[in-house]
Each structure stands twice: as C-alpha cells, then as structure tokens.
Amino acid sequence: SIGIASFLAVPIMTHEVKLQGFECFDNAGQRRKCMDDDIYLLRLACDIFSYDYERRAKDKTINHMAYHDYLTGLPNRRLLADRITQTFARGGWKGRLAALLLIDINRFKNINDLFGHDAGDGILRAVAERLSRSVRDGDTVAYVGGDEFVIFLQEIARAEDAIRVAEKIFAALRPPMFINGVDISATVGMGISV
C-alpha cells in the first residue's frame, strides 16, 4: 500500500551486542531478491554506524571522567576552575556578585575509623546529594577531594544570599544519614567568600 516492492533491514549492533537501530534499503520500482553485494554494502554501512556510535559513547564517558569525581558524580576541581574562569571571562560583572562556599566534613577521619571506609564513601555521596539539592540549577557543587566540597554561586544579588544558601545547607545536613544500616550524623565547617 505504500509502494515498496522489496525491503532489506540490517541491525546496527554495538560490540556489547546492544541493538542501536536498523539500516534499511527499499526498492519501490521492482520486486527483486537482495544480492550479496547489497547485503555486504548494507552491513558495511551498519558497521561504520556502530563504530561511530561506540566511539562517541566512549568519548562522552572519557570526557565525563576527566571532569567529574567517580565516587560522588559531582564536578571535580578541574571543572570547577573552568566554570569559575568562564563565568568571569564573560564579563559584565559590574554590580553583580558571585560567591564561593568551602565546606569540609568535621571529624571525617573519625567516621572512617569508626564505621569503615565504605561508610565514609556513603557519607560523601549523601553529603554530595544534599548539597546538590540545596542550590540552584545554575550553581556548581564540586567535590575537591578528601572531605572537602566547594559550591560556586555564579550570580547573587547580595552577599546575604550566600548566607541564606549556607543556612539551607546546614539545615539539609542536620538530619542523620542512614549509611550501611547505621544512622550517622555529620557536621560541617564552612567558609564563604563573596
């Protein structure tokens, strides 16, 4: 009913044997059996598409790994520095403010010693999640190593806005974190630069 007399479809697969789609060839003019050359060329095209898909996926993964922390998934020190540099390079900051909040978990070594490194990793992930929920979408929460996080508030109207964010963070971190079957409370210290 749509005028196709013959049709050939070859799956596009990745090396992990995941189906990505199909490459199709149709002939509206005549019914004919697909020749070996037709199939060969179509499979070759599918192999090229599959290779390109996998290369792009690997490039994306490598890029993410270069700029994000593996444990928390947050931007790392390198991406944080890039975002700060880019923000100020755009210029036009007359009358506008930005703020950096440096946050460190108090007695983090004691948490690791008492509950183990798995619990310490769990605390880092939980703190990362709570910090991320405490800021706006355009702000950056970065994990810079050890027990330290940095929040970059790209644009605030007044210095007091940074204090409000700090209060929100303290409130978000106040409830205990349930890690490996245990409620663990963690307090943080914070410094603010506007």
Side-chain angles (χ1 to χ4, degrees), residues 10-39:
V10 176
I12 300 173
M13 307 292 282
T14 62
H15 284 96
E16 294 89 27
V17 193
K18 291 183 181 176
L19 179 66
Q20 299 303 317
F22 291 92
E23 181 65 28
C24 302
F25 175 79
D26 62 64
N27 189 335
Q30 62 184 358
R31 289 185 81 129
R32 72 176 184 90
K33 183 178 178 184
C34 292
M35 306 305 248
D36 288 343
D37 287 347
D38 298 331
I39 296 170

Side-chain angles (χ1 to χ4, degrees), residues 80-124:
L80 172 67
D82 184 61
R83 288 187 178 169
I84 292 169
T85 301
Q86 291 299 319
T87 298
F88 287 105
R90 283 194 295 263
W93 278 87
K94 209 174 245 188
R96 296 182 184 165
L97 298 173
L100 281 174
L101 288 72
L102 175 63
I103 301 158
D104 66 271
I105 302 171
N106 296 329
R107 295 178 297 283
F108 184 68
K109 183 184 179 319
N110 293 348
I111 293 171
N112 273 332
D113 291 345
L114 187 60
F115 299 104
H117 289 282
D118 285 345
D121 289 349
I123 289 289
L124 291 173

Side-chain angles (χ1 to χ4, degrees), residues 69 71-72 74 77 101-112 117 119-128 131 141-151 169 173 177 186-191:
D69 173 63
L71 178 66
T72 64
L74 292 176
R77 183 184 308 261
L101 288 72
L102 175 63
I103 301 158
D104 66 271
I105 302 171
N106 296 329
R107 295 178 297 283
F108 184 68
K109 183 184 179 319
N110 293 348
I111 293 171
N112 273 332
H117 289 282
D121 289 349
I123 289 289
L124 291 173
R125 284 190 294 270
V127 168
L131 292 176
V141 178
Y143 175 64
V144 293
D147 62 354
E148 294 182 347
F149 296 83
V150 173
I151 296 176
I169 288 168
L173 294 175
M177 299 167 213
T187 59
V188 297
M190 186 181 311

Side-chain angles (χ1 to χ4, degrees), residues 47-61:
D47 287 346
I48 292 169
F49 293 148
S50 175
Y51 171 79
D52 186 58
Y53 174 82
E54 287 183 339
R55 184 187 54 78
R56 287 176 192 235
K58 286 178 183 174
D59 287 349
K60 186 176 179 182
T61 300

Side-chain angles (χ1 to χ4, degrees), residues 146-165:
D147 62 354
E148 294 182 347
F149 296 83
V150 173
I151 296 176
F152 176 48
L153 305 175
Q154 290 187 354
E155 187 176 332
I156 56 175
R158 299 172 303 282
E160 293 79 23
D161 293 342
I163 294 170
R164 278 197 265 300
V165 171

